[in-house]
Amino acid sequence: MESTPQVKPAPKLFPLIVECLQGKHYSKRTEEAYIQWIKRYILFHSKRHPREMGAAEVEAFLNHLAIEKKISASTQNQAKSALFFLYDVVLEQALPALENVTKIKVQKQLPVVLSKQEVQAILSSLDGTAWLIVSLLYGSGLRVMECLRLRVADIDFARLEIFVRDTNGHKNRITLLPASLVEPLKMHLQNVQALHNQDLNKGFGKVWMPSELAKKYPDAGKDWQWQYVFPSSRLSVEQDSGLVYRHHADEKPIQRAVKKVVAQTGIKKMVTPNTLRDSFATHLLEGGQEIKTVQQLMGHADESTTRLYTKVVNTGGRGVASPLDVI
């Protein structure tokens, strides 16, 4: 008598989503954001399984976010990307073009830019690791999380370059390393390496690695070259695996430090850590750098994004002298 072939049960949805995200090298932060959007989508439709739904339900959810929740265009795009990933990659049920989604108008605002004197005032009020991080934001045009996610191998002291890993691994770029930061950064890394050696001696010393690399090189997470340039002050336990890691530092202390020194220096602008990055681009353009070069250093996909900075170059009537000042 032939035995009845056993049907392999379908994998549970959320472990499958995580597996697909990690397989595509999405960052931990993107992974968490996508999972939250997918959960909200399912709850919005009374916990129906996504396989039972399609374009109409996705459009209804995105319109709800736009009209009822009044989210921004970038937030709507993130929710949309999460749902396209769910259907196209995870469920392999490609969605058609969503033609009935209320599109939120993108409000293109001019970036807030600091003067060189204001940058100097901020940097002179910081010290230690906060000074080094903020110096890299301005000196290399890094986003806060790009800076905090830097690995030791990403710093090329000889070529004065920094390799910036895109969160999704598709748009990596190279930016400059200021010569004035070489020695401070080397001294900082000596302390980081001492901390790493302490972790190794205690049986730890591992950092998070992209899933495919982790499978291919199981011990690579303990290698010095893969350690974070700015590690967290404490170890963390991953909930799913129970493994102990030392992740990169959190961005909140940097945000607080910048906010504090801006208040102390009396700068009357809405300044965040990323304002230093905007100032990097603007000051390069003011110094005569070609817009294509700045675009590459900033990692902008479209030149129009970089051109926003040209609108704040030579401010004060776009560089035109007032007739009052020349009489």
Side-chain angles (χ1 to χ4, degrees), residues 277-294:
R277 166 179 158 85
D278 294 332
S279 302
F280 163 86
T282 305
H283 294 168
L284 283 180
L285 290 171
E286 285 178 340
Q289 285 293 339
E290 292 184 359
I291 194 164
K292 273 290 183 186
T293 301
V294 178

Side-chain angles (χ1 to χ4, degrees), residues 7 31 38 68 78 84 111 113 159 161 185 250 286 309 321:
V7 179
E31 177 184 317
I38 293 168
E68 302 297 330
Q78 186 187 60
F84 267 96
V113 174
R159 295 177 62 87
E161 291 179 347
L185 195 51
D250 187 69
E286 285 178 340
Y309 296 105

Side-chain angles (χ1 to χ4, degrees), residues 79-296:
K80 185 178 178 181
S81 296
L83 297 178
F84 267 96
F85 184 88
L86 170 66
Y87 280 97
D88 292 356
V89 179
V90 181
L91 301 179
E92 297 181 344
Q93 298 176 1
L95 288 172
L98 303 179
E99 298 177 352
N100 300 311
V101 174
T102 300
K103 292 185 179 180
I104 302 170
K105 188 176 181 181
V106 179
Q107 299 292 332
K108 284 195 174 183
Q109 296 181 340
L110 292 179
V112 175
V113 174
L114 298 163
S115 68
K116 292 180 180 180
Q117 292 75 20
E118 289 169 333
V119 172
Q120 184 57 45
I122 289 172
L123 291 176
S124 62
S125 301
L126 293 168
D127 55 23
T129 303
W131 172 84
L132 185 54
I133 290 173
V134 175
S135 294
L136 282 168
L137 301 185
Y138 175 67
S140 304
L142 298 174
R143 299 177 178 90
V144 179
M145 291 309 300
E146 287 175 342
C147 186
L148 297 179
R149 288 188 180 125
L150 287 175
R151 311 275 183 147
V152 173
D154 298 335
I155 308 295
D156 190 332
F157 289 107
R159 295 177 62 87
L160 293 179
E161 291 179 347
I162 297 176
F163 182 75
V164 185
R165 300 174 190 274
D166 177 69
T167 53
N168 295 336
H170 306 307
K171 298 176 184 175
N172 300 329
R173 75 181 193 276
I174 293 176
T175 189
L176 54 91
L177 169 64
S180 58
L181 294 184
V182 168
E183 290 307 315
L185 195 51
K186 284 183 176 179
M187 292 178 63
H188 169 79
L189 287 176
Q190 288 177 2
N191 295 329
V192 175
Q193 189 164 25
L195 177 63
H196 177 55
N197 289 335
Q198 289 177 18
D199 287 347
L200 289 173
N201 291 334
K202 295 176 183 177
F204 303 123
K206 206 168 192 176
V207 293
W208 178 86
M209 297 284 289
S211 58
E212 287 190 6
L213 280 174
K215 289 176 184 177
K216 192 172 182 180
Y217 307 106
D219 295 325
K222 289 187 176 183
D223 289 349
W224 166 238
Q225 64 179 350
W226 284 107
Q227 301 305 303
Y228 289 113
V229 173
F230 298 104
S232 171
S233 60
R234 60 181 184 273
L235 297 170
S236 302
V237 180
E238 192 176 64
Q239 292 182 349
D240 297 334
S241 64
L243 295 174
V244 178
Y245 292 108
R246 187 177 291 280
H247 291 300
H248 56 71
D250 187 69
E251 73 270 29
K252 292 184 180 61
I254 300 302
Q255 293 167 346
R256 288 194 292 266
V258 169
K259 183 178 180 180
K260 181 178 179 181
V261 298
V262 166
Q264 288 174 344
T265 53
I267 296 172
K268 305 301 182 184
K269 294 177 181 177
M270 296 295 291
V271 179
T272 69
N274 282 337
T275 304
L276 279 298
R277 166 179 158 85
D278 294 332
S279 302
F280 163 86
T282 305
H283 294 168
L284 283 180
L285 290 171
E286 285 178 340
Q289 285 293 339
E290 292 184 359
I291 194 164
K292 273 290 183 186
T293 301
V294 178
Q295 178 189 352
Q296 291 170 355

